[in-house]
Amino acid sequence: MAALTTVRCSRGLLNCLKVSFQTSTLAKHRAPAVARSNFLLQSRCYSLGHLTVQERIEKKRSAALVGGGQQRIDAQHKRGKLTARERIELLLDHDSFVEYDMFVEHRCSDFGMQADHNKFPGDSVVTGQGRINGRLVYVFSQDFTVFGGSLSGAHAQKICKIMDQAMMVGAPVIGLNDSGGARIQEGVESLAGYADIFLRNVMASGVVPQISLIMGPCAGGAVYSPALTDFTFMVKDTSYLFITGPDVVKSVTNEDVTQEELGGAKTHTAVSGVAHKAFENDIDALLNLREFFNFLPLSNKDASPVMECHDPSDRLVPGLDTVVPFESTKAYDMLDIVQSIVDEREFFEIMPNYAKNIVVGFARMNGRTVGIVGNQPKVASGCLDINSSVKGARFVRFCDAFNIPIITFVDVPGFLPGTSQEYGGIIRHGAKLLYAFAEATVPKITVITRKAYGGAYDVMSSKHLRGDVNYAWPSAEVAVMGAKGAVQIIFRGKSNQAEAEAEYVEKFANPFPAAVRGFVDDIIQPSTTRKRICRDLEVLASKKQSNPWKKHANIPL
Amino acid sequence: MAAYRVSPALQRVLHAVKHASLKSRCCVVIGRAQYSTAYDHNEKTFDKILIANRGEIACRVMKTCKLMGIKTVAVHSDVDASAVHVKMADEAVCVGPAPTNKSYLNMDAIMEAIRQTGAQAVHPGYGFLSENKEFARRLAAENVTFIGPDTHAIQAMGDKIESKLIAKAAKVNTIPGFDGVVKDVEEAVKISNEIGYPVMIKASAGGGGKGMRIAWNDDETREGFRLSSQEAASSFGDDRLLIEKFVDNPRHIEIQVLADKHGNALWLNERECSIQRRNQKVVEEAPSMFLDPETRRAMGEQAVALAKAVQYSSAGTVEFLVDSKKNFYFLEMNTRLQVEHPITECITGLDLVQQMIRVAKGYPLSHKQEDIPINGWAIESRVYAEDPYKSFGLPSIGRLSQYQEPLNLPNVRVDSGIEEGSDISIYYDPMISKLVTYGKTREEALKRMEAALDNYVIRGVTHNIPLLREIIVNPRFISGNITTNFLPEVYPEGFKGHPLTAPEQRELLAAGASLYLAAQLRSQKFLGDLRVSSAHQERKHWELCVELDSGVHMVGVSRSGSTYTVEVDGEKVEVSGDWNLASALLNVTVNGTHRTLQCLSRSASGELSLQYLGTTFKLRVLSKLAAALSKHMPEKVPEDTSSILRSPMPGSVVAVSVKPGDTVAEGQEICVIEAMKMQNSMTAAKTAKVKSVHCKAGETVGEGDLLVELE
């Protein structure tokens, strides 16, 4: 705690310095020539050695701008990667970046680190704030050209500073990760730096959106910062995330594995579910991040953003009347439904390659950001399993934390049976999705397109979990299970199963049992779905609902 | 499952749904009619007609039935249960599962549907059972009227060998060839050599280009014989083939005839159908630029003579090949309503379906030959779900995620049987619609076709609009100098899309840059959000970089209101529009000229896919900074495609001719894929050993599926 206080104090000091530097630069630009020469004269009075302060400022500034030097910049480019500053320039609005801590240097004096040639103004990270489409964002961008982007005490301190301010003013934090890991020369100070960041990641969680874009290596303890943020994106072929690299893996488990297989973008977006999306290259990633940012509110105190929209909110979608096939065993693509309902068919899918039996992502309805959750009948019949439950739960919780209404499209045959699921803890993991939907207090609209069977019906934002508006399409079947299974239980041993099945279908394989009980609010014509949802969102915009006071809830992790 | 959904209350829901969409469809249909013939409601006709077909032609027939006050019955396969023709009909009966031989060709089921619904007559449309004499016979046996010629005429004209003999006897000009069925491959080679190459091998029972192959040498004769007989067997259940001289540089011109049961017959002028690919028509027009009144009359009179020779009644088409000296040869007679009949209806004002129904009911023709006019000019483009970049069109499938017909334009007729949300499946013909435009002159009709194609929104399946749009603006086509070899002659390397001229390219780049900026500016417009920087000022000038193919163009853009002035390649281009980013159509004015573009996709990383002059162009718009930095981005290596064979289209595997370990020569057949009733031979791209085979006969494959890997 004492250490933290020290850090805070020194940060305050640095802040003052920064302010004074900024005013002096301003003065330089605006003051008339006479005043300017006075200023130079004055500063000369305080100069040390043969350089004036002004000259030293300029020197440090230009040194900071080239990071580890041209040679390392060229090497970075050769790897297909941009430099920390180029990335910030692409990410933020033109000329909007305000840099902090350009003069911070590392404080290590061991292993010859104190030598002048080992000091880089700003150290191995560029931090500051700026704008994306006019909206405030805090950014840090690790500089691989300075000591491989390794994390020193100073590096961590710079990141912590912007995170603290981001929380105070309520603005998102974007981290552009490109770091070899801890600054080994600094030992425990580097580890302390990681922990300081982790703590802030946790404190900021649910307060401001936090996004990590992995644009190079990120290994060891460093991986836990992205893991704690709301979204982790990766760049294909040039980014890696792992606890230990292939060499250590080989020595411990004798496995032969490449960096790409162990922790590349493909692994984390399709197998582990650690990353939420991967992009082709640095430019593609940063431009997409700009677009993604527009979906997010700045903080938990801001409403979800509303953008100018050209798509009429009362647009009918005739194609939806035929999208659900007549045979209830036949698959269709839930994305067809999602894309045709949302504004301009624009859907920013989160985790498109992981647990594909559930679809989650952001879209807009009449300009307002909404979170979409949908079972995907095209993959594993759209069942809920461990991975899809966790994927869905985390997304729902993000939306709830940041005032983003949730629209749920339900076509779920149930939870996936089997030993691998039971042994893997489907009960515990399935409960997460149930928990997330139940605790959410944002507007919740649910559309049952076809099957809503068993416990999975309850889970998928049902009326019973405080769904605000629950619709069924005429093709909806809300029941405990499919006809065949149900008949085998109800009429066990009876000979005329076919007749019993027909009776069951007549009774349950339709939206009426749920509708007569008020568990769905209306049976709607599919083509009117967009119109209805837009209207409901307008009504629900002023929704206020709160959960009982608690220190924090205890989700079944 | 259909049977499951019979609870009365649920049916009410479904009925309401169905009823609502039906209503809107009817209005559209009526809005499309362009006939001058009157519908005399006092003239007694059938009460109820069953339409033994699907898709656009079923809808087309029902449209006239509705105008005549006749109730309609649709038949459908299970996958077509919610198809447009089913919704349009007063009653619908499911006649079997998706494959055509189990549903639309299933005579037992269709006969049962007729009995069940009490339909008095059957309109067969084209294809399926339209020229099946057995079907006509069974209908006659049950006292149901077949709306078409009688069995005798179908039989006589349906058999290419017999029809040729009858034509000869009726003094109709015929092509030299072998008047008989070819027994086997070796006989085919022998006959081909006797007639002299090139020869045409075709199915005796065939039509519509199916089971038809041209051979220029003995090897091609062997291959063609084999493929044609397989196709003939699967399409018509009859693998008999015949061979005839192939007329080089021919035009395909056909005469529409209309005859009644009282010995009257008329010719309703010609249709020029020379623009074909693989012997299937693509663009048709009426009249033909090539025919003078004398030739037209001569052809018309021979066509009528042939119709009379077989006591033809109903509408029919006599196809001729016309050489450059206006010699014409009888090709075949189609004893049904032809796909391209709408263009004849446009220039004559006759509703051919109405005439067929009247004739079938036994009425004499109400027109005389001198009543048949040529009013104006009509063009028909067959819009297909197929990829025109692959051999002028290989079928594609998918769901029509967005679909909008250009019916807002004047003198446009669209005959279609699909709507937004419909599936184009591997089971049926991949035709999306027939787009017909009509004008006082050919030039006017062509201009309207251009606009109609630009305004046609089809998303979710690959379509051939790029090719259609290119054909109708091609100088050779405009001059009327066309033959059935038009496509291979104009595009010897295959169709590559619209070649941009320098001003067109500037226009496209400017439109792309403007659209990019319009989208960028909009993404800064937050409504009611007070936390947007007040210092944030809207810029007035931008430096952008637009990539098109491999070219990189630096452009400067300045904006005033909704007009962007783009400086591209040293020239100023002014682009203005309403920049509605939700609309499928992008109407802009470029340097004073109105253009309709379509933005097919727009990504955050600056990629734009724009349909311009029919062709889809991929652009990438980047800020100057991003463009400068993109040189550092690593190049992604595409996979080597010469050693893998992927299915170019969805379909089913008919035969696999290799197994792992075999050595194949370049061009050697590896397997055969059948899609939409066409058999496509897949060949090796290089000489190599077969590494692995990933398909087997009878399997269904999707587009891009791996079939065979070579070493």
Side-chain angles (χ1 to χ4, degrees):
Chain A
M1 196 57 216
L4 195 70
T5 331
T6 333
V7 173
R8 273 178 194 267
C9 290
S10 60
R11 198 207 64 207
L13 200 76
L14 281 166
N15 238 341
C16 297
L17 275 174
K18 191 198 75 199
V19 170
S20 65
F21 284 136
Q22 277 195 332
T23 29
S24 57
T25 353
L26 260 174
K28 194 184 91 180
H29 288 303
R30 298 223 178 121
V34 186
R36 191 176 167 213
S37 60
N38 266 345
F39 171 79
L40 285 175
L41 211 70
Q42 253 180 3
S43 43
R44 197 169 293 129
C45 299
Y46 299 102
S47 71
L48 295 167
H50 59 285
L51 289 179
T52 65
V53 167
Q54 186 58 31
E55 281 164 344
R56 286 173 61 198
I57 294 170
E58 295 302 328
K59 203 171 157 223
K60 290 274 184 197
R61 266 193 206 287
S62 45
L65 291 178
V66 293
Q70 194 55 47
Q71 217 177 335
R72 291 206 180 92
I73 291 178
D74 291 343
Q76 176 84 346
H77 284 159
K78 211 164 250 157
R79 279 186 212 104
K81 304 199 293 182
L82 299 179
T83 67
R85 286 178 189 281
E86 286 165 349
R87 286 167 176 168
I88 288 182
E89 231 180 313
L90 274 179
L91 175 65
L92 300 181
D93 291 350
H94 180 66
D95 253 355
S96 73
F97 182 54
V98 179
E99 185 169 348
Y100 292 2
D101 290 342
M102 201 186 224
F103 296 96
V104 164
E105 291 174 1
H106 74 78
R107 298 177 294 271
C108 181
S109 54
D110 297 319
F111 310 109
M113 288 293 282
Q114 73 277 24
D116 262 0
H117 69 269
N118 273 338
K119 297 256 178 170
F120 295 86
D123 205 16
S124 49
V125 67
V126 181
T127 60
Q129 42 94 345
R131 303 271 168 175
I132 292 179
N133 288 316
R135 297 196 314 151
L136 184 63
V137 63
Y138 284 79
V139 186
F140 69 85
S141 176
Q142 295 180 316
D143 188 348
F144 196 78
T145 66
V146 177
F147 297 117
S150 62
L151 188 124
S152 63
H155 178 139
Q157 179 198 318
K158 283 180 72 174
I159 294 176
C160 290
K161 184 193 276 182
I162 59 143
M163 290 185 71
D164 288 340
Q165 201 176 77
M167 294 235 326
M168 250 170 342
V169 303
V173 178
I174 294 179
L176 308 178
N177 297 65
D178 189 359
S179 161
R183 181 83 49 88
I184 298 168
Q185 295 91 332
E186 293 198 8
V188 72
E189 181 154 1
S190 175
L191 297 185
Y194 278 125
D196 289 341
I197 298 170
F198 297 159
L199 176 69
R200 280 163 180 79
N201 283 138
V202 174
M203 290 300 110
S205 179
V207 179
V208 293
Q210 303 181 75
I211 304 161
S212 302
L213 176 53
I214 317 298
M215 310 185 82
C218 182
V223 298
Y224 286 109
S225 176
L228 290 167
T229 60
D230 298 301
F231 295 100
T232 303
F233 298 123
M234 292 182 80
V235 179
K236 286 181 194 166
D237 304 326
T238 50
S239 73
Y240 309 100
L241 270 168
F242 35 65
I243 299 286
T244 53
D247 296 344
V248 180
V249 169
K250 173 81 183 162
S251 68
V252 176
T253 68
N254 208 26
E255 285 172 287
D256 273 313
V257 66
T258 63
Q259 283 200 63
E260 184 63 34
E261 285 164 1
L262 185 62
K266 204 169 171 190
T267 302
H268 286 313
T269 51
V271 182
S272 73
V274 165
H276 294 87
K277 204 165 190 153
F279 301 104
E280 287 306 315
N281 56 43
D282 279 16
I283 295 178
D284 189 41
L286 292 161
L287 295 177
N288 271 286
L289 196 48
R290 279 178 67 84
E291 171 154 299
F292 176 66
F293 189 80
N294 265 10
F295 285 106
L296 308 180
L298 294 184
S299 76
N300 60 353
K301 296 214 174 70
D302 293 282
S304 66
V306 184
M307 307 222 48
E308 185 181 288
C309 168
H310 297 159
D311 203 350
S313 64
D314 58 354
R315 171 169 59 87
L316 294 179
V317 191
L320 291 184
D321 289 336
T322 53
V323 71
V324 177
F326 269 99
E327 306 90 326
S328 72
T329 48
K330 212 174 146 197
Y332 60 94
D333 192 349
M334 189 57 88
L335 283 173
D336 281 343
I337 296 181
V338 172
Q339 277 164 354
S340 58
I341 285 179
V342 302
D343 289 356
E344 296 172 22
R345 310 184 62 81
E346 224 170 276
F347 180 54
F348 192 98
E349 193 174 352
I350 299 292
M351 301 178 107
N353 294 318
Y354 179 77
K356 294 200 239 179
N357 40 348
I358 199 164
V359 171
V360 302
F362 297 101
R364 296 189 179 86
M365 293 295 279
N366 202 16
R368 180 184 296 277
T369 299
V370 293
I372 305 272
V373 180
N375 307 113
Q376 173 58 286
K378 219 174 75 169
V379 180
S381 307
C383 72
L384 288 176
D385 57 7
I386 293 173
N387 291 346
S388 60
S389 300
V390 174
K391 171 179 169 183
R394 182 149 175 79
F395 180 77
V396 167
R397 295 196 95 208
F398 176 84
C399 292
D400 186 44
F402 291 101
N403 313 316
I404 298 172
I406 300 164
I407 299 168
T408 309
F409 294 97
V410 184
D411 186 348
V412 64
F415 282 96
L416 182 65
T419 51
S420 77
Q421 289 291 311
E422 295 291 357
Y423 296 172
I426 179 70
I427 298 176
R428 189 159 49 89
H429 297 293
K432 291 175 184 172
L433 184 58
L434 168 63
Y435 192 106
F437 271 122
E439 76 172 337
T441 55
V442 291
K444 291 188 281 191
I445 299 173
T446 308
V447 181
I448 301 174
T449 59
R450 191 166 63 179
K451 291 173 207 161
Y453 285 169
Y457 152 72
D458 286 338
V459 169
M460 294 302 295
S461 196
S462 64
K463 200 79 198 163
H464 324 286
L465 302 183
R466 303 190 292 184
D468 296 303
V469 183
N470 294 57
Y471 290 125
W473 283 4
S475 46
E477 306 168 14
V478 186
V480 174
M481 56 175 73
K484 217 171 184 146
V487 166
Q488 277 168 9
I489 295 167
I490 306 174
F491 303 99
R492 182 167 300 190
K494 284 217 177 136
S495 55
N496 206 345
Q497 298 267 317
E499 198 176 293
E501 215 175 296
E503 189 191 338
Y504 184 90
V505 165
E506 161 81 21
K507 275 216 170 85
F508 289 131
N510 60 61
F512 292 106
V516 295
R517 290 166 176 81
F519 299 160
V520 297
D521 300 299
D522 201 356
I523 302 169
I524 61 170
Q525 197 181 328
S527 54
T528 63
T529 309
R530 171 178 165 83
K531 188 173 142 182
R532 306 280 295 233
I533 294 177
C534 285
R535 207 172 57 189
D536 296 332
L537 283 172
E538 223 170 347
V539 170
L540 293 169
S542 56
K543 175 185 176 185
K544 288 204 171 52
Q545 186 173 43
S546 53
N547 293 331
W549 185 91
K550 50 186 98 178
K551 187 175 172 201
H552 65 71
N554 188 16
I555 188 167
L557 290 174
Chain B
M1 192 61 218
Y4 289 177
R5 297 172 187 276
V6 286
S7 79
L10 181 63
Q11 260 197 343
R12 275 199 296 279
V13 176
L14 289 172
H15 183 77
V17 171
K18 183 172 155 178
H19 191 68
S21 39
L22 184 75
K23 244 185 178 163
S24 57
R25 173 60 50 177
C26 290
C27 300
V28 174
V29 165
I30 290 161
R32 284 182 208 165
Q34 308 205 338
Y35 314 116
S36 56
T37 37
Y39 301 93
D40 180 1
H41 290 283
N42 295 323
E43 189 177 88
K44 201 177 153 5
T45 181
F46 302 104
D47 298 323
K48 194 189 268 186
I49 291 179
L50 181 140
I51 295 99
N53 214 305
R54 66 181 299 281
E56 68 87 13
I57 193 62
C59 298
R60 160 70 192 92
V61 173
M62 286 181 206
K63 178 172 69 170
T64 290
C65 290
K66 281 179 196 298
L67 290 172
M68 295 174 74
I70 301 169
K71 286 207 161 50
T72 53
V73 180
V75 292
H76 63 88
S77 65
D78 54 6
V79 295
D80 271 346
S82 53
V84 176
H85 78 276
V86 175
K87 290 183 196 166
M88 239 179 113
D90 297 304
E91 287 171 74
V93 182
C94 181
V95 288
T100 51
N101 57 352
K102 294 192 176 126
S103 50
Y104 295 103
L105 289 172
N106 181 348
M107 277 188 242
D108 293 336
I110 292 171
M111 292 309 297
E112 184 50 41
I114 293 165
R115 277 175 226 125
Q116 192 187 317
T117 57
Q120 298 157 338
V122 170
H123 197 297
Y126 53 74
F128 295 135
L129 299 172
S130 62
E131 290 168 289
N132 187 309
K133 54 183 189 288
E134 170 65 12
F135 182 57
R137 195 191 53 72
R138 282 180 70 170
L139 288 175
E142 300 214 11
N143 248 335
V144 177
T145 311
F146 178 77
I147 302 175
D150 62 21
T151 326
H152 162 72
I154 296 175
Q155 177 163 9
M157 292 295 108
D159 189 309
K160 292 213 166 79
I161 296 162
E162 197 185 333
S163 70
K164 219 165 155 184
L165 297 174
I166 295 172
K168 260 185 190 164
K171 301 209 162 53
V172 178
N173 310 347
T174 56
I175 312 177
F178 176 71
D179 300 334
V181 175
V182 186
K183 283 202 291 290
D184 55 30
V185 176
E186 287 321 306
E187 195 187 356
V189 172
K190 197 179 119 238
I191 295 166
S192 302
N193 281 305
E194 279 168 21
I195 300 172
Y197 285 109
V199 295
M200 167 100 80
I201 302 161
K202 54 187 191 178
S204 173
K210 281 167 187 161
M212 206 183 259
R213 288 281 188 297
I214 295 158
W216 294 77
N217 54 47
D218 291 358
D219 282 348
E220 287 183 12
T221 304
R222 289 192 184 94
E223 196 200 349
F225 185 87
R226 193 168 50 80
L227 290 173
S228 291
S229 62
Q230 280 170 15
E231 259 175 45
S234 80
S235 290
F236 318 110
D238 176 353
D239 63 358
R240 290 177 306 146
L241 297 181
L242 58 103
I243 296 182
E244 67 187 17
K245 172 89 180 166
F246 174 64
V247 179
D248 213 359
N249 274 332
R251 283 168 181 262
H252 178 122
I253 299 176
E254 59 191 27
I255 301 285
Q256 174 74 52
V257 295
L258 181 64
D260 63 18
K261 294 178 176 170
H262 307 278
N264 304 310
L266 301 172
W267 45 276
L268 307 183
N269 301 314
E270 77 281 8
R271 292 186 289 258
E272 163 80 75
C273 312
S274 297
I275 308 294
Q276 305 185 345
R277 51 123 179 88
R278 298 196 304 274
N279 290 310
Q280 275 187 299
K281 297 159 191 167
V282 182
V283 174
E284 298 109 337
E285 60 184 307
S288 164
M289 278 180 92
F290 191 58
L291 294 194
D292 49 55
E294 292 81 65
T295 317
R296 178 174 296 127
R297 189 181 321 112
M299 287 171 76
E301 279 166 1
Q302 286 198 10
V304 163
L306 178 63
K308 286 187 170 161
V310 289
Q311 287 101 50
Y312 196 85
S313 68
S314 192
T317 298
V318 183
E319 298 189 341
F320 292 98
L321 275 189
V322 184
D323 71 12
S324 52
K325 299 185 183 65
K326 292 185 185 156
N327 296 315
F328 56 91
Y329 305 103
F330 168 72
L331 211 51
E332 62 181 20
M333 180 168 187
N334 296 318
T335 56
R336 53 169 155 87
L337 188 63
Q338 199 93 334
V339 177
E340 58 273 22
H341 74 272
I343 50 177
T344 298
E345 295 183 329
C346 283
I347 61 161
T348 60
L350 261 68
D351 177 341
L352 287 177
V353 174
Q354 179 206 17
Q355 297 305 322
M356 287 174 82
I357 294 172
R358 286 189 70 250
V359 167
K361 187 72 188 168
Y363 292 106
L365 294 178
S366 44
H367 295 79
K368 299 217 155 40
Q369 189 60 50
E370 56 270 27
D371 300 338
I372 306 301
I374 299 183
N375 279 333
W377 213 284
I379 317 267
E380 175 180 280
S381 294
R382 295 199 193 181
V383 183
Y384 275 104
E386 55 184 27
D387 183 352
Y389 296 91
K390 296 177 187 165
S391 355
F392 300 113
L394 285 189
S396 85
I397 54 165
R399 181 174 181 272
L400 288 166
S401 56
Q402 274 177 290
Y403 183 75
Q404 205 176 297
E405 294 173 349
L407 291 168
N408 52 324
L409 304 176
N411 286 345
V412 172
R413 166 173 168 177
V414 185
D415 281 22
S416 68
I418 43 108
E419 60 188 349
E420 191 169 301
S422 292
D423 263 316
I424 308 281
S425 73
I426 58 165
Y427 300 111
Y428 310 113
D429 191 81
M431 188 155 79
I432 295 173
S433 79
K434 302 182 306 202
L435 176 63
V436 180
T437 58
Y438 174 65
K440 282 194 204 73
T441 61
R442 187 171 187 259
E443 197 189 350
E444 197 179 289
L446 283 174
K447 275 282 157 230
R448 285 190 173 135
M449 183 58 81
E450 261 180 62
L453 287 169
D454 284 342
N455 281 275
Y456 206 146
V457 179
I458 303 168
R459 304 287 160 81
V461 295
T462 313
H463 55 75
N464 67 340
I465 283 183
L467 176 63
L468 296 172
R469 178 72 167 69
E470 228 17 52
I471 292 171
I472 58 147
V473 297
N474 183 285
R476 225 186 105 178
F477 177 79
I478 291 174
S479 74
N481 174 20
I482 51 178
T483 72
T484 53
N485 297 323
F486 177 83
L487 289 177
E489 277 170 19
V490 173
Y491 309 102
E493 308 283 303
F495 178 64
K496 304 273 187 239
H498 179 76
L500 290 172
T501 63
E504 282 169 355
Q505 177 168 308
R506 280 198 295 275
E507 233 180 64
L508 174 64
L509 294 171
S514 307
L515 177 65
Y516 168 84
L517 275 182
Q520 286 286 310
L521 290 175
R522 194 186 57 159
S523 64
Q524 299 166 359
K525 288 190 182 145
F526 292 90
L527 306 180
D529 196 318
L530 302 174
R531 296 193 60 197
V532 175
S533 171
S534 56
H536 184 75
Q537 300 259 311
E538 231 178 56
R539 287 163 70 185
K540 292 281 181 215
H541 186 82
W542 295 264
E543 296 286 327
L544 298 174
C545 168
V546 189
E547 291 168 25
L548 172 64
D549 298 325
S550 50
V552 178
H553 308 261
M554 299 305 298
V555 304
V557 191
S558 40
R559 182 176 82 100
S560 103
S562 60
T563 302
Y564 294 86
T565 307
V566 187
E567 201 171 327
V568 46
D569 300 341
E571 304 252 348
K572 275 205 168 119
V573 183
E574 216 165 74
V575 191
S576 57
D578 64 352
W579 307 112
N580 181 331
L581 298 169
S583 163
L585 298 173
L586 186 66
N587 284 301
V588 290
T589 308
V590 187
N591 283 345
T593 316
H594 179 263
R595 293 272 189 213
T596 303
L597 280 75
Q598 295 189 27
C599 178
L600 307 180
S601 72
R602 185 159 50 81
S603 84
S605 42
E607 279 142 357
L608 273 179
S609 189
L610 284 180
Q611 184 181 313
Y612 170 67
L613 303 174
T615 296
T616 301
F617 294 94
K618 292 200 185 313
L619 287 82
R620 186 160 194 215
V621 189
L622 289 172
S623 66
K624 207 175 164 187
L625 172 73
L629 292 176
S630 58
K631 66 170 183 285
H632 301 305
M633 294 299 101
E635 284 219 14
K636 310 269 162 168
V637 195
E639 65 179 351
D640 174 21
T641 50
S642 71
S643 55
I644 47 176
L645 182 70
R646 290 182 184 281
S647 175
M649 70 210 142
S652 59
V653 181
V654 177
V656 182
S657 344
V658 296
K659 56 183 187 302
D662 288 0
T663 303
V664 290
E666 185 182 332
Q668 187 183 328
E669 180 182 291
I670 288 182
C671 61
V672 179
I673 305 283
E674 183 179 290
M676 278 86 176
K677 292 275 155 71
M678 290 293 293
Q679 296 208 342
N680 299 274
S681 167
M682 304 284 117
T683 55
K686 61 175 186 187
T687 304
K689 215 168 184 182
V690 177
K691 192 172 163 195
S692 54
V693 176
H694 299 270
C695 60
K696 54 177 186 280
E699 238 174 31
T700 313
V701 291
E703 183 179 341
D705 282 4
L706 184 62
L707 300 174
V708 169
E709 254 182 295
L710 303 179
E711 272 176 4

